[in-house]
Amino acid sequence: MNRVDALREIAATPALRVCNLGYPSRELFHVRDDPTTFYMLGSMGLASSVGLGLALVQSRRVVAIDGDGSVLMNLGTLSTIAHFAPAHFTLVILDNGTHGSTGDQPTHSSLGTDLARVASACGVARVRSVDTPQGLRATLDESGGSVIVARIEPGNADVPPVPLTGPHLRDRFQNAVGAIP
Amino acid sequence: MTPDVDHQIVALLRASGVDFACQVPCALLAGVVAGLGQTGVPVFPVTREEEGVGVCAGAYLGGRRPALLLQNSGLGNSANALGSLHGFYHLALVLLVGFRGGPEERVAAQKPMGEATPGLLDALGIPFAVVDAADGIDAVATVARQAFSEHRPVAALLRPGVWT
């Protein structure tokens, strides 16, 4: 399974989505752009936190799409998710063992850090590990809050950056959510 | 601690529309954190200030009016998120900051960030008000109104003198 394979399954799941910066957002935009997707174009490490905040204040399902390097940059998020995330929040960690957007430098997950076990140790009640598109789809279709660690191959699709401005992304996402502060 | 001051700050935040909060513990803000929760505002503890910036961003995207309660040392932990998340997308956030490291500070390690905090906020383009004593706390409401009307982070830096 490569990242685009995984993103196709996530894009087909009805939910509000918050997507990690770099190639994950580029590729998801390429696979299927939708106003219910919030693309993180900066602030590495915070896709899971933004998704959690969104899930805490409204009732629609939220899927946060993160990477192994980004979760390792904000490991406390797993503990916060364990204790405060509602059942309609899911964090998908696309784990390719590398910093894929900066030249495939190895992350600590490639050195043996097991993010599924870290999530469990943080207190996340339902943690799943998958390594096929079918497995990811089946796990996303299960109900209840969870952390899904999806093992994917390193590599990026040859797709350009997301061509949208920050305020435009904010406005269209808030409109899609039905939440104008 | 002067509970009346805490209650006044909580009332100013509520009157300005704050209806969601994250916090990283600060000795100065303990009473405000407790008081805000008692008014029914959800107040979530986070492990690090930058994480709170992210959670508050998500709550704002979902239609809430968030505040992050933190010590000024934590602004340093949050600089990238305040710029590339809140600055880039134009997201509102009230930063209610316990401002350590001033002339009265007895913990020497608080001094460097105490001295750097105004310059850090200036560099990030974040407006702020410094509140030295309890008679200045109306600035909290001004800060919050500016955050929500201009869709940006704005900070109230509350020195220990607010509570003495």
Side-chain angles (χ1 to χ4, degrees), chain B residues 7-154:
Chain B
H7 290 149
Q8 289 170 40
I9 292 170
V10 169
L12 291 165
L13 291 171
R14 296 292 284 127
S16 306
V18 169
D19 58 5
F20 181 95
C22 289
Q23 62 95 10
V24 177
C26 168
L28 296 174
L29 295 176
V32 177
V33 169
L36 195 58
Q38 286 164 7
T39 69
V41 173
V43 183
F44 293 98
V46 290
T47 63
R48 180 179 166 88
E49 294 82 359
E50 186 186 36
E51 183 195 7
V53 173
V55 175
C56 285
Y60 183 71
L61 290 169
R64 295 296 185 92
R65 293 177 168 230
L68 177 62
L69 283 63
L70 73 168
Q71 195 172 99
N72 60 305
S73 52
L75 288 171
N77 292 346
S78 307
N80 177 54
L82 290 168
S84 68
L85 183 57
H86 280 78
F88 180 72
Y89 294 97
H90 297 196
L91 308 180
L93 177 62
V94 178
L95 295 163
L96 193 76
V97 184
F99 192 11
R100 299 283 302 269
E104 76 297 328
E105 182 64 56
R106 293 191 297 177
V107 179
Q110 291 278 7
K111 289 280 194 180
M113 281 306 292
E115 292 163 5
T117 292
L120 173 64
L121 291 169
D122 278 337
L124 290 166
I126 296 175
F128 62 92
V130 179
V131 183
D132 293 311
D135 62 6
I137 60 170
D138 284 350
V140 171
T142 308
V143 159
R145 281 196 297 268
Q146 183 180 8
F148 297 130
S149 66
E150 299 181 10
H151 311 286
R152 66 196 298 186
V154 187

Side-chain angles (χ1 to χ4, degrees), chain A residues 3-21:
Chain A
R3 195 192 293 114
V4 167
D5 296 330
L7 291 171
R8 282 204 182 94
E9 301 303 328
I10 295 168
T13 300
L16 303 174
R17 287 169 290 272
V18 178
C19 188
N20 193 26
L21 82 171

Side-chain angles (χ1 to χ4, degrees), chain A residues 107-119:
Chain A
T107 69
H108 292 8
S109 84
S110 74
L111 303 177
T113 296
D114 183 333
L115 290 170
R117 290 179 64 193
V118 174

